[in-house]
Amino acid sequence: MAILKGWRERRRACADRALPWVVCSALAAPGVLAGLWTPAAAALLLAPLAACVRFGVRQTAAVACGAVLLAPAVWAAHGFTATPHFFLDFLALTAGSVLTVRAAARHASDTAALASVTEVARAAEGAILRPVAAHLGGVEVCTQHHCPVQGATVGGDVYDIAHTPYGLRVLIGDVCGHDLTTLRITAEVIGAFRDRVYVTPQLSDLVRTVDARISPVLGPEDFVTALFAEFAPGEVRLANCGHPAPLRVGRQTKLLEPPEHTLPLGLGPVPAVYRAWLQPGDRVLFYTDGLSEARDAGGTDFPLLDGVAEALGEPLPADALDALYARLTGHTQEPLTDDVAFVLCQPADRPSVLGEAGPCGPAGRGVGAGGGRVPRPVRGAGPRC
C-alpha cells in the first residue's frame, strides 16, 4: 500500500513538472504547424505564469526560456515576416518571462519567511501549553490538548502543572475564542500562575492573585473559567471559578462539584476551597467544555460519566486519554468545533522523586521544581466529597 502511494505521488509530481511544457506546446502548435495564430508568441506567457504559481525559481526560469525560444518557431511558421505586431508580442513575452522569474523568487523568499515565523509561533505555543507526561510529587500526570483550528496548537484552553512546596498544583481554564487576543490572554493566565504558584501557600490566595494579574488585560466582555487544584496525601483541594467540575474515577465515577459556584476570573471571584477524598487507584480528570458540551448531529450530549469511566479503564494514562478522545470524536461523528484539553492525575501508592518518569512517558520538560515536604492541611477548607 505504501509503495502504491509513493508511486502515485511520484507520478503526480512528474505530471506537475510537465504541465507548463504541455501548455507551451499547446499554445505554440497552432502557429507552428498551421500558421493559424499570429499572436501565439505573447500567448506563450501563460506557461511561465503557470510555472510561477506552482514551482520555484529554477523551474519557472526553465519554462520562461522555453517559451521565449518557441517564439521564433512561431515567427518561422509565418515565413519570417518581421512585422511590428510580432516584435511587440515577442517583447511582451520576454518582459513577462523576466517578471515571472522575479515573482517566483519573491514567492520563494516569502514562503521561507513564513515557514520561519510559523516555526517560531509553534515553539511559542508549545511553551504556553507544554505537554506533560511525568511522575511529579507522588502523582502521575498526563495531559492532552486538541485544537480544531488548522495549523494551531493553542486555542482558548489553558492548563499548567507545578510541583510546589505545598503539593502538586494544577490549573485548567478556558478563554473564549481562538484569535490572537485569546492567545494573549492565555499567555497572561499561564504567566500569572507560574509566577505565583510556588510562593503562595493558600490556594484561595493564588486564585485572587491570578485574577488580579489578568484583569487589566481583559476586555469588558472577557473572562476566563478556571479550576485550581492542589494534591495532598489522600485528598485533592479544589477552587472552581465557573469551570466544569472535575471527575473522580475509581470504584465510582463522580463529579466533584463545588458547594457553591464562583464567578470566573476577570469578574472578581471569591473562591471557596473544597476537598475531595482520594482512595488508592483513584484518578482525577480535569477537562474543558469541549468534552462536557460535545454533541452529536442530533444534539445528544456526550455521556460524560459513562464515557469517561470506560475510557479511563485503560491502565496507562496516555492510552486512557487517547481512548477518551476516540470516544468523543466517535460520538460527534465529525471534527470538533471547540478545542478540548485533558489533565489526568493519579496519586501513586508511593512518593516519587521530582521528574521521575511514570507509566505515561518520560518526565515532562519545563515543569517547575519545588520542595518535597508534605503539606499541612488547609485551614478553613470546605467539606470533603
Side-chain angles (χ1 to χ4, degrees):
M1 190 67 181
I3 296 176
L4 181 60
K5 183 179 179 181
W7 178 78
R8 288 176 178 174
E9 291 178 352
R10 288 194 297 271
R11 186 178 67 175
R12 187 181 298 111
C14 292
D16 287 343
R17 286 193 294 269
L19 180 62
W21 299 105
V22 173
V23 173
C24 270
S25 302
L27 292 173
V32 173
L33 300 179
L36 299 177
W37 196 5
T38 303
L44 292 173
L45 183 59
L46 292 175
L49 287 174
C52 171
V53 173
R54 297 181 61 90
F55 304 107
V57 179
R58 293 183 178 180
Q59 182 77 355
T60 303
V63 173
C65 291
V68 171
L69 293 176
L70 279 174
V74 177
W75 190 7
H78 290 275
F80 295 97
T81 303
T83 64
H85 191 279
F86 174 79
F87 281 117
L88 289 176
D89 278 349
F90 187 77
L91 180 61
L93 173 63
T94 304
S97 299
V98 172
L99 291 177
T100 56
V101 174
R102 288 178 59 88
R106 180 62 179 271
H107 177 69
S109 176
D110 292 344
T111 301
L114 179 61
S116 177
V117 171
T118 302
E119 188 65 25
V120 172
R122 287 178 178 173
E125 290 178 339
I128 294 174
L129 289 187
R130 53 197 177 191
V132 179
H135 195 150
L136 302 169
V139 180
E140 299 286 350
V141 183
C142 193
T143 67
Q144 278 191 14
H145 177 248
H146 302 275
C147 184
V149 178
Q150 184 69 26
T153 58
V154 176
D157 291 350
V158 55
Y159 67 81
D160 200 19
I161 316 294
H163 184 190
T164 75
Y166 319 107
L168 181 73
R169 285 178 167 176
V170 177
L171 162 69
I172 188 166
D174 192 359
V175 183
C176 182
H178 300 91
D179 55 11
L180 292 178
T181 301
T182 301
L183 183 59
R184 177 174 56 84
I185 296 174
T186 300
E188 290 287 347
V189 174
I190 289 289
F193 178 77
R194 292 175 183 174
D195 285 348
R196 304 303 303 175
V197 67
Y198 302 102
V199 295
T200 307
Q202 299 297 329
L203 196 62
S204 57
D205 292 338
L206 177 62
V207 176
R208 295 188 185 94
T209 301
V210 173
D211 176 65
R213 278 278 302 272
I214 70 170
S215 293
V217 303
L218 298 178
E221 298 181 359
D222 294 332
F223 60 86
V224 182
T225 66
L227 177 65
F228 295 77
E230 179 181 280
F231 284 87
E235 69 176 15
V236 59
R237 303 159 188 159
L238 303 164
N240 194 329
C241 300
H243 197 76
L247 280 165
R248 180 179 60 196
V249 182
R251 295 180 181 177
Q252 292 183 339
T253 302
K254 181 180 180 180
L255 279 171
L256 303 180
E257 293 278 7
E260 58 184 38
H261 293 280
T262 306
L263 293 173
L265 299 178
L267 301 179
V270 181
V273 178
Y274 62 106
R275 304 154 80 176
W277 291 108
L278 295 178
Q279 300 294 330
D282 282 352
R283 288 174 167 177
V284 181
L285 176 69
F286 305 93
Y287 56 92
T288 56
D289 59 7
L291 175 66
S292 57
E293 297 181 0
R295 296 178 176 85
D296 62 11
T300 303
D301 291 332
F302 177 73
L304 186 62
L305 296 181
D306 293 339
V308 170
E310 293 177 5
L312 267 58
E314 295 287 339
L316 296 182
D319 292 341
L321 293 185
D322 288 340
L324 178 57
Y325 185 70
R327 286 181 177 273
L328 179 62
T329 54
H331 174 77
T332 59
Q333 293 294 317
E334 59 183 10
L336 299 180
T337 58
D338 192 12
D339 50 341
V340 60
F342 304 131
V343 178
L344 181 60
C345 298
Q346 179 178 350
D349 295 334
R350 62 178 179 84
S352 66
V353 178
L354 175 66
E356 177 184 348
C360 188
R365 295 182 179 180
V367 178
R373 64 182 180 86
V374 177
R376 297 179 178 179
V378 178
R379 295 182 179 178
R384 296 184 188 231
C385 299

